[in-house]
Amino acid sequence: LQTPPPKSSLMNILWDIQRKRRYIAPDDMTKIANEFRISRIELEGIISFYHFFHRSHAGNYTIYLNNGIISKHGNYAAVKRAFEKELDISCGETTTDKMFGLFETSCIGLSDQETSALINFHAFTDLTPAKVKNILGQLRKGEMPETLTGIPKNNIQYTPKKDKTVFFKPYTAGVGLKKLKKLSPDQLIELVKKSKLSGRGGAFFPTGMKWEFCKNNSSDQKFIICNADEGEPGTFKDRVLMNKYPGLMIEGMAMAAYAVGANFGYVYLRAEYYYLKDKIEKEIKNFRSKGLLGKNILGIAGFDFDIVVHLGAGAYVCGEETALISSIEGKRGEPSTKEYFPVERGLFGKPTIINNVETLCAVPRILSMSLAKYLKIGTEATKGTKLISVSGDCKKPGIYEIEWGMKLKQFLKLIKAKNPYMILFNGYAGECLSSADFDREISGENLLAEHVQFKWDDPIEYARKMSAIGLRSGGSFMVFNDQRDLMPIFENITNFFVSESCGICAPCRTGNFLLSKKLKKIMLCHAEKSDLEDLEKWSSIIKQSSRCGLGKTSTNYLLSAMLKFPQEFNKCLLARSDFNKSFEFEKVTQDYDTIINEIEKVHG
Ligand code: SF4
């Protein structure tokens, strides 16, 4: 059986050292660089790329507080104050006794249970200042974080009727996989093509077609990667799938391997889900012991496949296929130019399938329920059901399995949204929806035809067109009610992209930084109309000229918000004109007290 190439163990070694010492020391770096025959500079470049690797002590208890927008709308400010007060340090610092390190991080896949934090990568949810005090007290007494908390709750809020449920129903390991005994790889690919299954991480590339491309490649070595780097803020469905059905994901990977002729696979698990690693590894062992992984699986000669779990280290961009590949190869997780698709040249230069957790879990379900039954669910373009992670201003945040085709207004009713004003659909890389969209359905209907006509030089027109067609969801659904100030939400999103840009190309690196400054100027009511025009122009440039999906989607929210919520931007200009008027006093009098009073009136 094939074993993982040695270079892919670099990240694991860095993790081992980080966990043991709480940082990666210069001596460690020299040793590792020698062992992997790379320069020390290159290694430092790799270490500094990932948020969770530290080059100075990060505390025996390393705390990461979530600063995503849903957390901020919860107890974030009070919880942060409580941590800082109890530990007598600020975020980004370590206590002098090296006992605690306190850091902030963006979304950790717990938007339904905010405010949340990770302590040594164990999840603490629904935090309050009192809880913080109690947790720190227990840790000081010598308790370990894992004894104070468990795997976060699944929070499954809704599934359709029994005959329309695809994911959340009883599962027995191997049921779907055993169907392969009666299917050739070509027949399996044909079945997946007929199901119209497409990439559920958000890219929606047809899965069967991807598998076919890979199968047609004659290479003697191929890989399967399960993309479990669920980093899009607001999404946490894959966390629930992996917690509830790790076997389903493993079966999906094995099926992909059977279809394309691969014999080794990686689960690229985001470090924020470290607490799921043991569970997944246990299930892999269980599968091996049942002959569902290993050599001649199910007695099928030549069907050899095994899996390892590979831990990420905190880099949103690693959700991008080529960045993820680089990360497994033990490099900085930087996206590469799209000279080749991974199915042509992927991991270690070999054809590679990368599918998201939900996509892979769907395949064994389709096989076990029958294609005919599956095709009866959903819409013409999007068959089956979709898992949606709901958070924000609604009574029932959590996971929803809905049949494709549900109207947005029905869905808002289902989740008991309270006075919804703006929906951030598909996470920070998604679009902002207003009440004008509530009659649209959640599906992929009309989408492909519209895409053909789309002109990249006119994104506002694109957003207008999108309003007439289905809403294809990657899985993140954040609701903001009419009491929320939208500008700080936009600022949080832009700052996220500034921090997560890998920096390799200028439009994304510099453009998002400049957007963040411009947004700040608008928020402070210092902007003029031309600043809004700049926002639109720059967003369009970033979208068109960035190298990878991160940059290309980083301004979707802003372009759609400017289209759907112009009043939010204009009111800042209006406030500025009030501010200007106030200075007419200056012409009449040089009474500075009066001017200062006027400024205070405008700015509170
Ligand atoms: Fe890196 Fe951003 Fe360029 Fe993607 S678009 S390669 S994240 S700088």
Side-chain angles (χ1 to χ4, degrees):
L1 207 59
Q2 197 181 320
T3 51
K7 191 84 195 290
S8 69
S9 61
L10 176 61
M11 293 273 285
N12 293 340
I13 291 172
L14 293 174
W15 264 120
D16 284 346
I17 296 169
Q18 174 73 46
R19 267 192 290 268
K20 206 165 104 195
R21 275 193 208 275
R22 316 312 300 174
Y23 74 113
I24 299 160
D27 281 358
D28 300 321
M29 288 188 218
T30 307
K31 268 188 226 151
I32 298 169
N34 289 340
E35 200 174 313
F36 281 84
R37 296 175 185 223
I38 54 177
S39 72
R40 167 82 187 264
I41 296 285
E42 190 183 342
L43 184 66
E44 287 204 38
I46 295 166
I47 292 167
S48 64
F49 182 82
Y50 297 95
H51 298 316
F52 296 143
F53 290 147
H54 294 261
R55 282 174 292 171
S56 59
H57 207 291
N60 295 337
Y61 299 108
T62 314
I63 302 163
Y64 292 101
L65 176 62
N66 180 10
N67 65 7
I69 193 63
I70 303 296
S71 173
K72 287 208 164 172
H73 286 172
N75 291 333
Y76 165 83
V79 165
K80 183 180 173 187
R81 263 197 310 275
F83 271 122
E84 290 183 332
K85 187 175 162 226
E86 290 295 322
L87 300 174
D88 197 21
I89 52 173
S90 300
C91 267
E93 293 177 352
T94 305
T95 52
T96 41
D97 61 0
K98 310 282 185 237
M99 183 79 128
F100 295 96
L102 180 62
F103 304 91
E104 290 190 76
T105 190
S106 50
C107 187
I108 54 176
L110 291 164
S111 301
D112 55 334
Q113 300 165 56
E114 296 296 356
T115 294
S116 62
L118 297 169
I119 304 182
N120 290 359
F121 293 94
H122 297 279
F124 289 80
T125 59
D126 301 309
L127 289 173
T128 60
K131 264 193 177 180
V132 166
K133 195 171 178 185
N134 181 39
I135 293 164
L136 294 177
Q138 302 279 341
L139 295 176
R140 282 193 178 110
K141 281 186 203 156
E143 289 282 354
M144 296 307 286
E146 52 271 44
T147 61
L148 302 177
T149 188
I151 293 175
K153 60 179 185 260
N154 289 332
N155 230 353
I156 298 164
Q157 294 285 1
Y158 175 84
T159 56
K161 281 188 192 140
K162 210 171 150 196
D163 58 332
K164 298 231 169 179
T165 304
V166 175
F167 294 98
F168 295 124
K169 55 187 182 184
Y171 165 73
T172 311
V175 169
L177 204 51
K178 281 174 188 157
K179 303 254 178 191
L180 294 187
K181 284 184 175 176
K182 291 189 182 157
L183 285 176
S184 69
D186 283 330
Q187 284 170 323
L188 174 61
I189 290 174
E190 206 42 43
L191 184 144
V192 176
K193 278 167 83 175
K194 279 186 184 154
S195 75
K196 297 191 179 172
L197 181 67
S198 55
R200 297 293 184 85
F204 292 97
F205 189 86
T207 308
M209 202 189 282
K210 189 186 267 189
W211 288 14
E212 190 172 48
F213 288 153
C214 191
K215 177 173 189 290
N216 290 343
N217 198 311
S218 58
S219 172
D220 58 344
Q221 197 182 23
K222 296 175 188 176
F223 293 102
I224 307 296
I225 299 175
C226 173
N227 185 347
D229 193 47
E230 188 179 38
E232 190 57 55
T235 182
F236 44 89
K237 64 189 173 65
D238 293 345
R239 179 198 90 216
V240 173
L241 275 178
M242 287 187 284
N243 186 29
K244 203 164 163 59
Y245 309 115
L248 209 51
M249 173 180 71
I250 295 165
E251 281 192 57
M253 291 179 74
M255 285 177 177
Y258 178 73
V260 308
N263 44 26
F264 202 80
Y266 291 85
V267 177
Y268 188 91
L269 183 69
R270 70 185 304 218
E272 290 86 340
Y273 294 166
Y274 170 72
Y275 46 78
L276 293 174
K277 188 168 180 270
D278 274 358
K279 191 166 196 173
I280 297 168
E281 285 177 340
K282 236 184 232 168
E283 194 67 348
I284 291 172
K285 267 190 202 155
N286 183 28
F287 266 61
R288 282 186 197 133
S289 69
K290 287 181 175 162
L292 299 172
L293 280 179
K295 267 189 113 46
N296 300 324
I297 296 169
L298 299 163
I300 301 171
F303 181 16
D304 304 339
F305 184 62
D306 207 354
I307 299 172
V308 291
V309 180
H310 187 96
L311 209 56
Y316 168 77
V317 72
C318 285
E320 198 275 347
E321 290 188 336
T322 56
L324 189 154
I325 285 172
S326 293
S327 182
I328 296 181
E329 287 175 348
K331 302 177 191 157
R332 287 164 67 86
E334 282 165 352
S336 52
T337 46
K338 300 279 178 295
E339 229 175 304
Y340 299 98
F341 289 110
V343 288
E344 300 166 286
R345 250 186 228 192
L347 190 62
F348 301 107
K350 301 291 179 183
T352 303
I353 290 288
I354 305 177
N355 281 141
N356 155 270
V357 176
E358 185 182 335
T359 316
L360 288 166
C361 287
V363 182
R365 283 306 200 198
I366 295 169
L367 255 74
S368 56
M369 74 190 286
S370 90
L371 178 65
K373 274 191 189 159
Y374 181 79
L375 291 178
K376 282 189 187 142
I377 311 170
T379 68
E380 194 42 46
T382 31
K383 296 291 179 191
T385 60
K386 181 74 192 88
L387 301 184
I388 302 190
S389 320
V390 175
S391 61
D393 297 318
C394 65
K395 263 199 184 143
K396 294 168 75 179
I399 296 291
Y400 289 73
E401 177 174 1
I402 60 158
E403 185 176 3
W404 285 109
M406 185 181 275
K407 286 251 174 155
L408 195 56
K409 63 184 173 196
Q410 272 176 283
F411 189 61
L412 288 165
K413 212 169 151 193
L414 192 66
I415 66 174
K416 297 198 189 309
K418 296 175 240 166
N419 306 325
Y421 180 53
M422 183 181 87
I423 314 296
L424 187 54
F425 192 80
N426 283 337
Y428 284 11
E431 60 175 317
C432 297
L433 305 178
S434 69
S435 55
D437 296 292
F438 289 178
D439 271 323
R440 294 171 73 185
E441 65 175 35
I442 301 172
S443 78
E445 294 307 319
N446 303 325
L447 211 58
L448 292 175
E450 290 297 330
H451 263 299
V452 175
Q453 296 165 22
F454 170 58
K455 287 192 186 119
W456 286 98
D457 57 353
D458 194 350
I460 292 286
E461 177 57 19
Y462 172 64
R464 216 165 260 131
K465 273 186 175 177
M466 290 296 279
S467 297
I469 56 181
L471 290 160
R472 205 163 47 171
S473 171
S476 172
F477 194 94
M478 299 183 197
V479 190
F480 301 99
N481 68 25
D482 53 6
Q483 298 303 304
R484 298 289 182 198
D485 186 355
L486 299 192
M487 282 299 166
I489 299 174
F490 302 148
E491 188 193 25
N492 183 281
I493 300 174
T494 299
N495 288 344
F496 171 81
F497 285 116
V498 170
S499 137
E500 295 298 334
S501 166
C502 82
I504 212 167
C505 61
C508 169
R509 181 189 64 234
T510 319
N512 276 306
F513 176 78
L514 292 173
L515 277 187
S516 76
K517 297 290 163 210
K518 192 69 101 178
L519 268 177
K520 192 84 196 168
K521 188 177 174 192
I522 293 168
M523 279 173 76
L524 292 172
C525 302
H526 291 167
E528 296 177 359
K529 200 160 180 289
S530 63
D531 289 302
L532 295 190
E533 287 161 9
D534 285 345
L535 268 195
E536 194 185 313
K537 248 187 279 161
W538 296 354
S539 297
S540 167
I541 292 169
I542 295 169
K543 192 173 175 66
Q544 291 172 64
S545 52
S546 289
R547 179 190 276 195
C548 84
L550 186 149
K552 285 184 194 306
T553 57
S554 62
T555 56
N556 284 349
Y557 81 90
L558 196 51
L559 287 165
S560 52
M562 290 179 79
L563 180 74
K564 306 277 172 69
F565 301 94
Q567 66 279 13
E568 296 291 329
F569 296 87
N570 290 335
K571 78 183 175 197
C572 298
L573 297 187
L574 215 61
R576 179 188 163 90
S577 71
D578 285 351
F579 180 80
N580 283 343
K581 258 189 244 154
S582 76
F583 275 91
E584 284 170 15
F585 278 95
E586 203 175 359
K587 291 177 199 150
V588 184
T589 172
Q590 286 300 311
D591 179 354
Y592 288 101
D593 284 346
T594 314
I595 293 170
I596 285 164
N597 283 343
E598 285 301 313
I599 292 171
E600 277 177 356
K601 238 182 355 196
V602 174
H603 284 284

